[in-house]
Amino acid sequence: MVHERSAAAAALAARCEPRVNELARRMAGDVFEQLRGYAELPADVRDMEIAATARHGMRLFLRGSRPRPDALEYFQERAAQRAEEGMPLHLLLRAYTLGAKELFRALRETARPGERDALAELADALFTASDQVVGAVTESYLDEQAALAAEHHERRRSRARALLDGRPVTDGPIADGPALVLWLRFDNWAPGKGSSPVAVRRQVRRVQAALDRSFDTDVPALLDADGGHAVVPGTAEPPGQILELLHRTAGPGVRLAAAGATGAGDIPRAARLAREVVRVAAACGREPGLHRLDDVLLEYHLSRPSAGSDRIAGLLDPLAGRPELVETLRTHLEQRQDRRATARRLSLHPNSVDHRLARVQELTGLDLGDPRNTALVLAALLLRETDAGVME
């Protein structure tokens, strides 16, 4: 892997070549032991494959072979294999740099008086060869790691898609047993709100990592810029730290709901329920966070379509084109009809809230002091959210 050498350099390298087997054994058995994590590698990888790679690399260098297309391919293939086996990249690269260091030490020990120039020439060639090999190895390792990550990601998404579609899954803990289905909604970093697609993909990966960490398992999930579903084996509630982790990765606008499924066939129903709980909580003006069905039980019931849904939703038709009145009405109901709390939430003067609510009553003919009318308004707001496509 070097250019033509002087006769003196070639002679020095030739005298060192008989030591290749000894050097490879020493590297695999002793030198690399100083690398953190090396001892945990399988014995056949340490004693055979790494030693064989060391022998091949040293012979290639000492024989002064010119660069050939297949010379680096050997090291690239070994790097891809190490990536597939899960060997850390830092460990792989340090094995190469330590190997080069040990080879130079052997050359120095073999050199005779008067061969300083030959030794310097081989040192320069060794630096060049090491740079070529480490660059090729790193590229191949990262390519293989990216391919493996993409394959794993797609397998996980395919598994989640099958579960959410109600199709049978034959492997894993969710194949036959209870599960917890989550729906997450991200209100603050969809692409239409200023986040680039690259940033969104990075956030999705971080959210996936937060889910895996929270539940201490590989969580099947279908996530995108708006949110998505995740399916976790077991029936436990989401762990307490999950919101903190999600807030750190996706910001404060995360909404989350969970619904239990009795088995794989029940997962689609649980998925719809979790999504609806989040929708209803958001429609009611609740702050982002963990939403439970019990927290919005009445609102959930009122938002179910029925034969009278269109008539109820139509009660607020007179407010069309007046979004400030609709927002004031929704916030006023969420704040339990406390005008001062509504004013604080909307950054208005209490008198402005009174004026807007009076205008709502004037336009709709609904007296907000009447409990029945209040329930009708709440149901109308929720049903109109559904009609507006919030569930899509």
Side-chain angles (χ1 to χ4, degrees):
M1 296 184 61
V2 294
H3 297 292
E4 287 195 26
R5 298 169 179 169
S6 66
L12 173 55
R15 290 202 311 274
C16 192
E17 187 175 348
R19 299 184 58 187
V20 164
N21 288 337
E22 165 209 338
L23 289 171
R25 284 194 300 270
R26 186 157 67 86
M27 287 178 191
D30 298 324
V31 175
F32 296 158
E33 289 292 337
Q34 62 188 285
L35 298 176
R36 180 171 54 87
Y38 182 80
E40 283 71 44
L41 295 176
D44 59 335
V45 173
R46 294 196 316 266
D47 303 334
M48 297 177 62
E49 297 185 21
I50 290 180
T53 303
R55 283 195 300 272
H56 177 79
M58 285 187 287
R59 286 200 176 99
L60 199 63
F61 174 79
L62 293 171
R63 291 173 182 175
S65 302
R66 288 180 178 274
R68 302 187 312 273
D70 62 337
L72 291 176
E73 286 179 8
Y74 177 89
F75 300 106
Q76 290 174 315
E77 290 172 2
R78 299 286 81 75
Q81 187 177 350
R82 299 290 87 82
E84 186 176 4
E85 294 165 348
M87 183 179 184
L89 178 59
H90 73 86
L91 187 59
L92 177 63
L93 297 183
R94 288 206 64 199
Y96 275 99
T97 56
L98 274 179
K101 179 180 177 181
E102 287 303 306
L103 178 55
F104 178 72
R105 180 177 296 173
L107 286 167
R108 192 178 59 196
E109 293 169 352
T110 306
R112 296 168 180 169
E115 291 187 318
R116 171 181 287 185
D117 290 344
L119 183 61
E121 181 183 336
L122 289 175
D124 184 65
L126 184 58
F127 289 145
T128 300
S130 295
D131 179 66
Q132 290 177 327
V133 170
V134 167
V137 162
T138 303
E139 182 179 3
S140 180
Y141 182 101
L142 293 177
D143 285 347
E144 181 68 15
Q145 194 174 60
L148 291 170
E151 183 180 336
H152 175 73
H153 176 69
E154 187 51 40
R155 281 201 308 268
R156 174 149 53 181
R157 286 180 64 85
S158 296
R159 180 175 171 75
R161 191 177 293 111
L163 290 167
L164 292 167
D165 288 346
R167 291 184 275 121
V169 175
T170 58
D171 63 323
I174 309 176
D176 184 21
L180 190 69
V181 184
L182 310 179
W183 170 255
L184 297 92
R185 195 174 103 179
F186 312 129
D187 285 351
N188 59 319
W189 52 270
K193 298 177 182 177
S195 298
S196 70
V198 173
V200 168
R201 286 196 296 271
R202 184 182 301 117
Q203 292 283 41
V204 166
R205 288 196 297 271
R206 290 175 177 173
V207 169
Q208 179 70 69
L211 291 173
D212 294 345
R213 179 179 173 187
S214 295
F215 291 97
D216 195 25
T217 189
D218 200 20
V219 177
L222 277 175
L223 302 173
D224 58 24
D226 299 313
H229 282 106
V231 186
V232 187
T235 57
E237 282 286 306
Q241 79 273 20
I242 189 170
L243 273 181
E244 179 184 351
L245 287 173
L246 290 173
H247 285 163
R248 288 207 300 262
T249 56
V254 178
R255 295 183 182 274
L256 170 68
T262 57
D266 192 38
I267 287 175
R269 178 205 59 81
R272 290 191 296 271
L273 176 58
R275 187 168 183 169
E276 270 293 272
V277 168
V278 168
R279 184 193 72 80
V280 170
C284 293
R286 292 183 180 268
E287 294 287 342
L290 178 60
H291 306 302
R292 295 179 172 83
L293 177 60
D294 285 349
D295 298 333
V296 291
L297 201 55
L298 174 61
E299 295 89 339
Y300 179 85
H301 174 72
L302 292 175
S303 68
R304 300 305 88 199
S306 67
S309 294
D310 291 343
R311 295 177 66 85
I312 294 175
L315 293 174
L316 298 185
D317 283 349
L319 303 184
R322 301 295 301 273
E324 77 284 0
L325 297 183
V326 176
E327 182 63 18
T328 301
L329 180 59
R330 179 186 292 109
T331 304
H332 190 57
L333 294 177
E334 171 62 23
Q335 298 301 317
R336 295 178 173 81
Q337 297 182 282
D338 183 329
R339 59 190 287 273
R340 293 190 179 278
T342 302
R344 286 193 298 271
R345 184 75 174 271
L346 297 176
S347 300
L348 296 172
H349 190 280
N351 289 343
S352 297
V353 172
D354 291 341
H355 175 74
R356 289 185 180 184
L357 294 175
R359 186 63 177 149
V360 168
Q361 291 194 177
E362 179 184 339
L363 291 172
T364 64
L366 295 170
D367 179 6
L368 297 179
D370 183 332
R372 180 177 179 277
N373 283 350
T374 300
L376 282 171
V377 168
L378 178 59
L381 284 168
L382 293 166
L383 289 168
R384 291 174 75 89
E385 289 284 347
T386 300
D387 291 340
V390 175
M391 292 179 63
E392 298 302 323

